[in-house]
PDB file of all heavy atoms in Angstrom:
ATOM      1  N   LEU A 174      21.426  14.380  -4.169  1.00  0.00           N
ATOM      2  CA  LEU A 174      21.835  15.783  -4.213  1.00  0.00           C
ATOM      3  C   LEU A 174      20.652  16.715  -3.970  1.00  0.00           C
ATOM      4  O   LEU A 174      20.801  17.763  -3.327  1.00  0.00           O
ATOM      5  CB  LEU A 174      22.482  16.100  -5.563  1.00  0.00           C
ATOM      6  CG  LEU A 174      23.827  15.422  -5.830  1.00  0.00           C
ATOM      7  CD1 LEU A 174      24.300  15.722  -7.247  1.00  0.00           C
ATOM      8  CD2 LEU A 174      24.880  15.835  -4.804  1.00  0.00           C
ATOM      9  N   ALA A 175      19.468  16.334  -4.469  1.00  0.00           N
ATOM     10  CA  ALA A 175      18.283  17.160  -4.246  1.00  0.00           C
ATOM     11  C   ALA A 175      17.934  17.219  -2.760  1.00  0.00           C
ATOM     12  O   ALA A 175      17.615  18.291  -2.222  1.00  0.00           O
ATOM     13  CB  ALA A 175      17.108  16.617  -5.054  1.00  0.00           C
ATOM     14  N   VAL A 176      17.993  16.071  -2.077  1.00  0.00           N
ATOM     15  CA  VAL A 176      17.737  16.051  -0.630  1.00  0.00           C
ATOM     16  C   VAL A 176      18.797  16.877   0.101  1.00  0.00           C
ATOM     17  O   VAL A 176      18.486  17.714   0.961  1.00  0.00           O
ATOM     18  CB  VAL A 176      17.730  14.606  -0.093  1.00  0.00           C
ATOM     19  CG1 VAL A 176      17.664  14.606   1.436  1.00  0.00           C
ATOM     20  CG2 VAL A 176      16.553  13.824  -0.656  1.00  0.00           C
ATOM     21  N   ALA A 177      20.059  16.652  -0.235  1.00  0.00           N
ATOM     22  CA  ALA A 177      21.145  17.354   0.446  1.00  0.00           C
ATOM     23  C   ALA A 177      21.045  18.866   0.245  1.00  0.00           C
ATOM     24  O   ALA A 177      21.250  19.642   1.195  1.00  0.00           O
ATOM     25  CB  ALA A 177      22.498  16.848  -0.069  1.00  0.00           C
ATOM     26  N   GLU A 178      20.718  19.285  -0.973  1.00  0.00           N
ATOM     27  CA  GLU A 178      20.628  20.724  -1.240  1.00  0.00           C
ATOM     28  C   GLU A 178      19.476  21.353  -0.472  1.00  0.00           C
ATOM     29  O   GLU A 178      19.624  22.439   0.106  1.00  0.00           O
ATOM     30  CB  GLU A 178      20.464  20.967  -2.737  1.00  0.00           C
ATOM     31  CG  GLU A 178      20.501  22.454  -3.104  1.00  0.00           C
ATOM     32  CD  GLU A 178      20.509  22.691  -4.596  1.00  0.00           C
ATOM     33  OE1 GLU A 178      19.793  21.965  -5.330  1.00  0.00           O
ATOM     34  OE2 GLU A 178      21.231  23.596  -5.047  1.00  0.00           O
ATOM     35  N   ARG A 179      18.322  20.690  -0.449  1.00  0.00           N
ATOM     36  CA  ARG A 179      17.178  21.246   0.288  1.00  0.00           C
ATOM     37  C   ARG A 179      17.514  21.398   1.773  1.00  0.00           C
ATOM     38  O   ARG A 179      17.224  22.424   2.396  1.00  0.00           O
ATOM     39  CB  ARG A 179      15.943  20.356   0.093  1.00  0.00           C
ATOM     40  CG  ARG A 179      15.308  20.485  -1.287  1.00  0.00           C
ATOM     41  CD  ARG A 179      13.935  19.841  -1.327  1.00  0.00           C
ATOM     42  NE  ARG A 179      13.986  18.386  -1.312  1.00  0.00           N
ATOM     43  CZ  ARG A 179      14.028  17.624  -2.403  1.00  0.00           C
ATOM     44  NH1 ARG A 179      14.040  18.193  -3.596  1.00  0.00           N
ATOM     45  NH2 ARG A 179      14.055  16.316  -2.301  1.00  0.00           N
ATOM     46  N   LEU A 180      18.117  20.367   2.353  1.00  0.00           N
ATOM     47  CA  LEU A 180      18.482  20.423   3.773  1.00  0.00           C
ATOM     48  C   LEU A 180      19.544  21.495   4.020  1.00  0.00           C
ATOM     49  O   LEU A 180      19.487  22.222   5.021  1.00  0.00           O
ATOM     50  CB  LEU A 180      18.993  19.062   4.231  1.00  0.00           C
ATOM     51  CG  LEU A 180      17.967  17.929   4.335  1.00  0.00           C
ATOM     52  CD1 LEU A 180      18.659  16.607   4.633  1.00  0.00           C
ATOM     53  CD2 LEU A 180      16.928  18.234   5.402  1.00  0.00           C
ATOM     54  N   ALA A 181      20.524  21.583   3.126  1.00  0.00           N
ATOM     55  CA  ALA A 181      21.612  22.536   3.313  1.00  0.00           C
ATOM     56  C   ALA A 181      21.124  23.976   3.207  1.00  0.00           C
ATOM     57  O   ALA A 181      21.564  24.845   3.972  1.00  0.00           O
ATOM     58  CB  ALA A 181      22.713  22.276   2.286  1.00  0.00           C
ATOM     59  N   LEU A 182      20.213  24.244   2.293  1.00  0.00           N
ATOM     60  CA  LEU A 182      19.669  25.600   2.163  1.00  0.00           C
ATOM     61  C   LEU A 182      18.803  25.954   3.367  1.00  0.00           C
ATOM     62  O   LEU A 182      18.860  27.074   3.891  1.00  0.00           O
ATOM     63  CB  LEU A 182      18.863  25.717   0.868  1.00  0.00           C
ATOM     64  CG  LEU A 182      19.676  25.692  -0.438  1.00  0.00           C
ATOM     65  CD1 LEU A 182      18.744  25.586  -1.643  1.00  0.00           C
ATOM     66  CD2 LEU A 182      20.550  26.940  -0.549  1.00  0.00           C
ATOM     67  N   ALA A 183      18.013  24.988   3.830  1.00  0.00           N
ATOM     68  CA  ALA A 183      17.126  25.251   4.982  1.00  0.00           C
ATOM     69  C   ALA A 183      17.909  25.456   6.274  1.00  0.00           C
ATOM     70  O   ALA A 183      17.499  26.233   7.150  1.00  0.00           O
ATOM     71  CB  ALA A 183      16.136  24.103   5.138  1.00  0.00           C
TER      72      ALA A 183
END
Side-chain angles (χ1 to χ4, degrees):
L174 292 175
V176 172
E178 186 173 39
R179 286 193 287 269
L180 290 173
L182 290 171

